[in-house]
Amino acid sequence: MYVEFYCLLSLGLLLSQNCEFSLPGCTDGGPLFSSKAPQVCGVRVQLEMQALWRQFDQLGTEMIVTKSGRRMFPTFQVKISGMDPSAEYVLLMDFIPVDDKRYRYTFHSSSWLVAGRADVAAPSRMHFHPDSPAPGSQWMKQTVSFDSLKLTNNLLDDNGHMILNSMHRYQPRFHVVYVDPTPNSHLNAYRNFCSFSFPETRFMAVTAYQNHRITQLKIASNPFAKGFRTSDPQEEMKDWKAENSMNWTENREDADYCSLPVSLPSADAFGCLAPRCPGKEPQACGQFIHRRVINAASGAGR
């Protein structure tokens, strides 16, 4: 089994070089995939929260990458059918570049433009679902969630997070691997896996959200962002500080910008932190601090 794992990892690195090799099912792909093992050739995968993914895709999905690693939202979740209930399977994901370009966001037109050739590709990695390996009956009885997967831009990451380049577009891919118990199964490893990709899950990796509509949709859709939906500025700032563990003080301009949240509270909330600013009304001071944080975030994302 371990030999097959090593073989599959090598094969995964080969596949990651070509986005077009990612398949919607095991019945496509020409001669190479015409002799898939029966344990995988009937596997079907349905993307959960597909309507939400499409909402984000229409706006141009962005996913935050940080040095310490950031979870995805929407979370990649799937429902699986067609597995052999008694066979063992390993589930894993990887991320491949959509193209060979680097992008930048223009605020006046609210759109992404090509900024040049892509940066050197980050080291290829795969994220194994923590329940792997498990029998097909277990995988099929409930939604499979990759909620522990994190994205990072740290090339030296040693936590197993997925390493991505900021301002590049990526396609998540999902792989189902049959754990073949027969001797020398690694010699035919290509028969024992199947790959799936969903175009609506493509995203731009960023260190700070560029499109404010993406920020708003994430706040409205993420159940963990309820603190950002309050209309009370005092409560808004209180929830934001608690969720992001930032050491804010009244009228402080040297706040810690190193770990920015999914979104920022409104200028009203910042105004509550700065009741007195020399030469400024409280609300104007709040807007000043708000812009300062946004500029710090935007600068880090380019």
Side-chain angles (χ1 to χ4, degrees):
M1 185 173 105
Y2 295 106
V3 175
E4 183 174 16
F5 275 177
Y6 288 127
C7 184
L8 286 169
L9 284 172
S10 299
L11 183 60
L13 295 178
L14 175 63
L15 291 178
S16 67
Q17 298 174 6
N18 189 347
C19 180
E20 299 303 321
F21 225 58
S22 186
L23 305 175
C26 294
T27 56
D28 303 323
L32 179 61
F33 290 90
S34 62
S35 58
K36 285 292 183 181
Q39 289 82 359
V40 298
C41 66
V43 173
R44 295 294 178 266
V45 175
Q46 177 182 342
L47 179 67
E48 294 288 273
M49 300 188 295
Q50 190 172 51
L52 181 60
W53 276 106
R54 287 175 176 170
Q55 280 186 272
F56 277 103
D57 186 48
Q58 290 173 358
L59 298 176
T61 310
E62 299 174 19
M63 293 288 180
I64 292 287
V65 294
T66 64
K67 185 175 181 180
S68 59
R70 176 70 70 89
R71 286 186 172 88
M72 296 173 61
F73 184 83
T75 304
F76 190 89
Q77 300 177 342
V78 294
K79 287 282 287 185
I80 307 174
S81 60
M83 286 180 165
D84 182 338
S86 60
E88 294 266 304
Y89 294 88
V90 170
L91 305 185
L92 59 149
M93 286 187 67
D94 67 352
F95 295 77
I96 55 175
V98 170
D99 51 39
D100 61 351
K101 299 177 177 60
R102 188 179 190 277
Y103 293 84
R104 64 181 177 88
Y105 190 78
T106 58
F107 292 92
H108 69 277
S109 62
S110 299
S111 61
W112 289 95
L113 299 178
V114 175
R117 298 282 296 180
D119 297 335
V120 176
S124 298
R125 283 183 172 180
M126 289 188 168
H127 177 85
F128 285 77
H129 192 283
D131 293 341
S132 299
S137 58
Q138 177 177 326
W139 293 124
M140 292 188 292
K141 71 180 181 181
Q142 59 192 6
T143 297
V144 176
S145 176
F146 282 83
D147 52 2
S148 64
L149 185 153
K150 289 187 177 182
L151 309 178
T152 184
N153 57 354
N154 180 13
L155 297 177
L156 302 178
D157 174 76
D158 58 0
N159 296 307
H161 302 329
M162 308 305 293
I163 302 176
L164 307 180
N165 287 325
S166 178
M167 298 305 192
H168 292 65
R169 293 188 70 204
Y170 289 92
Q171 170 69 65
R173 294 192 308 178
F174 174 64
H175 308 278
V176 176
V177 181
Y178 163 55
V179 182
D180 189 350
T182 60
N184 298 322
S185 61
H186 62 282
L187 299 177
N188 296 311
Y190 71 91
R191 300 183 65 245
N192 296 329
F193 81 96
C194 198
S195 300
F196 302 83
S197 64
F198 303 92
E200 58 266 49
T201 62
R202 292 181 177 184
F203 64 85
M204 188 76 69
V206 296
T207 55
Y209 290 121
Q210 307 295 298
N211 185 344
H212 73 279
R213 292 175 296 175
I214 290 291
T215 307
Q216 293 169 351
L217 183 56
K218 296 221 178 192
I219 292 173
S221 308
N222 191 341
F224 296 102
K226 64 181 183 298
F228 302 114
R229 293 193 286 269
T230 177
S231 58
D232 185 339
Q234 290 279 8
E235 289 300 317
E236 184 180 2
M237 177 56 71
K238 179 180 177 182
D239 290 339
W240 186 66
K241 289 167 62 180
E243 292 190 22
N244 294 279
S245 300
M246 296 180 68
N247 297 319
W248 285 88
T249 58
E250 288 194 356
N251 201 20
R252 179 178 177 184
E253 296 185 4
D254 59 341
D256 177 12
Y257 302 136
C258 297
S259 179
L260 292 170
V262 170
S263 176
L264 300 173
S266 66
D268 292 346
F270 278 97
C272 296
L273 277 181
R276 289 188 299 274
C277 265
K280 293 186 178 69
E281 293 298 321
Q283 206 54 38
C285 182
Q287 292 170 356
F288 169 75
I289 299 176
H290 187 252
R291 286 197 304 271
R292 187 175 171 86
V293 177
I294 290 177
N295 291 338
S298 302
R302 293 177 182 146

